[in-house]
Amino acid sequence: MGPIIAIGAGLAAGLAVVGAALGIGRIGGAATEGISRQPEAANKIQTAMIIAAALIEGAALFALVIAFLMLDKIKV
Amino acid sequence: MKLLNAILFSTLLFTYAVSANPVPNAAAPQAGSGAAAVHAAPAAGGDAHAAPAESAAHSDAFSFAETIAHHLSDAPLWKLELAGYDISITKRVVMLFLAAFLLVLILVPAARRIAKNPYAKPTRFTGFIEVLVNFIRNDVAHASLGHHAHPYEPYLLTLFFFILISNLLGLIPSLGELYVFAGQATGLMHAHAGHADSFSLPIAEKLWPGITATGDIAVTATLAIFTFLVILISGFAYQGAMFIRNIVPGGIPLLLWPIMWPIEFIGLFTKPFALAIRLLANMTAGHMIILVLLGFIFQFQSYFIAPVSIAGAMAIYLLELFVAFLQAYIFTFLTALFISQVQHRH
């Protein structure tokens, strides 16, 4: 059972990172595009970008917590 | 009942925190010796020449998982028991007290000085506090809550400053470990003497355990439960009993209500749950990455790894400094946002 759980934990963390990377990449791309179109709104766009990135990061970290919960199962 | 549900949600992960961090038994305080031996490994590894001999001296080699668990886990410093419940003053409780004490020490004089003459030219000290307070007041409270923001300002400011100072205090390493390191570096202390168990640690460790208070689900869940209560109370205060119906956004066809209402009702609980986990995971993950990067040095026992590890850990540390501010801001901002959502549903 141990190795399967280990693979699962790795997948849980890895897939979540893929999702988060896609999300943060899109936010970054959209933000730079927005700033280049409208440089005077750079501050507002940056704030919104950081908030959205932090929210996505939070979602990825949920998966990290789940991965830890799974790893905890191996020790027992 | 709703409060009970929120507590149940948070206990899900709280049980993990407890099961992952076995607290030394009251009957056998020497139970910490296992963790102590593990901890001695990185400390002894400070000198790359001595390290192989040291790791041979005690049976278990350097282990990432156990070292990280030791650094991130809570341990009682002063034993306390009340009516059968363990209310020991643990590392994190000490950090909570320190955070509260420092907040009083910093904010009360600043408030006094500003209140004495609000139009005076701000000094560096009062200016810095004013910038933060104004930011939370204008860009968080008033931006989300508009002219209803005033009653919520004290809660939002308290949340922000408490989370911020807890996050920042967690970034300063514990004095006890510096003490042990200094003792070993100068040869005054035997390599393994300093860490017999948490009860024989020097007083410096007890006064400055250097652990992140917000890296504990009990702390973040408590903050989130307060936010949850504020959301519920302001929801019922602004909308009365209609709050229960208005959970579902307007313009939803009647047929969808049996599906939408339960989903939105669960959404009421997932908001504070997500707040708690977000803060916990962010504060834990950053420290874990720093520990893993530094752990590579002791894993590979090589001079070539050390500069890379230290540069990486330094970069992550600076990122963590930013994350400490960001997460305090996010928690406060989302609290304000959730409150505004239940207020303006006309």
Side-chain angles (χ1 to χ4, degrees):
Chain A
M1 212 38 198
I4 298 173
I5 296 175
I7 292 168
L11 278 177
L15 288 176
V17 167
V18 169
L22 279 174
I24 291 180
R26 287 197 57 168
I27 290 171
T32 36
E33 198 182 301
I35 291 171
S36 65
R37 279 169 194 270
Q38 210 174 348
E40 63 271 24
N43 279 334
K44 279 185 177 178
I45 292 173
Q46 242 163 17
T47 317
M49 183 187 79
I50 288 169
I51 292 167
L55 292 178
I56 288 180
E57 196 189 52
L61 288 170
F62 293 165
L64 191 76
V65 171
I66 289 168
F68 281 134
L69 285 170
M70 291 167 84
L71 277 180
D72 199 46
K73 286 253 158 61
I74 297 178
K75 270 187 266 172
V76 178
Chain B
M1 278 314 288
K2 284 159 188 170
L3 174 65
L4 278 178
N5 260 332
I7 294 169
L8 275 179
F9 262 128
S10 46
T11 39
L12 273 179
L13 270 131
F14 183 56
T15 46
Y16 163 66
V18 171
S19 67
N21 313 327
V23 175
N25 199 336
Q30 64 271 27
S33 59
V38 171
H39 187 267
D47 184 354
H49 287 301
E54 294 289 358
S55 53
H58 55 85
S59 56
D60 46 356
F62 176 75
S63 149
F64 264 131
E66 286 177 51
T67 309
I68 289 169
H70 171 76
H71 276 272
L72 294 180
S73 66
D74 215 355
L77 296 175
W78 286 278
K79 281 278 178 193
L80 270 183
E81 213 169 292
L82 185 72
Y85 287 97
D86 185 13
I87 53 159
S88 300
I89 310 286
T90 62
K91 286 178 177 181
R92 287 202 167 98
V93 177
V94 172
M95 292 312 276
L96 284 175
F97 288 162
L98 278 172
F101 178 69
L102 277 176
L103 278 181
V104 171
L105 211 65
I106 293 167
L107 293 179
V108 170
R112 287 238 172 95
R113 202 178 288 185
I114 294 167
K116 206 180 282 172
N117 182 5
Y119 299 105
K121 179 169 166 261
T123 61
R124 280 182 197 172
F125 171 58
T126 58
F128 178 64
I129 302 297
E130 261 189 40
V131 164
L132 289 176
V133 171
N134 268 335
F135 173 67
I136 295 301
R137 183 180 174 275
N138 296 335
D139 291 356
V140 174
H142 283 256
S144 318
L145 299 162
H147 56 283
H148 295 285
H150 191 65
Y152 298 99
E153 278 166 13
Y155 178 64
L156 295 175
L157 286 168
T158 310
L159 261 188
F160 177 77
F161 280 107
F162 181 73
I163 296 172
L164 177 66
I165 204 128
S166 298
N167 291 352
L168 288 178
L169 289 187
L171 287 171
I172 304 170
S174 89
L175 281 180
E177 282 170 16
L178 293 178
Y179 174 86
V180 170
F181 175 74
Q184 285 166 4
T186 53
L188 291 175
M189 189 196 291
H190 187 261
H192 295 178
H195 271 276
D197 61 72
S198 355
F199 297 96
S200 68
L201 284 175
I203 193 71
E205 167 77 13
K206 291 197 173 190
L207 292 180
W208 189 271
I211 195 167
T212 321
T214 38
D216 192 319
I217 184 68
V219 176
T220 57
T222 308
L223 294 172
I225 288 168
F226 277 121
T227 288
F228 181 66
L229 289 177
V230 171
I231 291 171
L232 280 191
I233 290 168
S234 42
F236 280 112
Y238 275 80
Q239 304 180 34
M242 290 298 273
F243 174 54
I244 298 165
R245 198 204 70 176
N246 286 350
I247 293 172
V248 179
I252 297 289
L254 207 61
L255 274 176
L256 277 176
W257 269 66
I259 308 166
M260 285 299 283
W261 196 85
I263 290 174
E264 295 288 337
F265 185 72
I266 292 167
L268 213 57
F269 298 98
T270 50
K271 280 174 197 163
F273 179 73
L275 276 182
I277 303 297
R278 180 178 298 113
L279 184 55
L280 165 81
N282 269 291
M283 296 327 294
T284 312
H287 289 246
M288 202 171 283
I289 294 169
I290 291 176
L291 286 171
V292 166
L293 280 173
L294 290 179
F296 281 137
I297 301 174
F298 307 110
Q299 182 86 350
F300 295 109
Q301 308 264 342
S302 158
Y303 282 121
F304 300 105
I305 296 287
V308 184
S309 275
I310 290 169
M314 185 74 197
I316 299 287
Y317 188 92
L318 293 176
L319 181 74
E320 277 300 287
L321 211 56
F322 171 65
V323 167
F325 279 88
L326 182 68
Q327 289 306 318
Y329 166 62
I330 290 277
F331 198 108
T332 319
F333 174 80
L334 287 177
T335 298
L337 199 71
F338 294 154
I339 295 169
S340 79
Q341 280 176 352
V342 298
Q343 276 183 355
H344 303 293
R345 195 65 59 67
H346 297 299

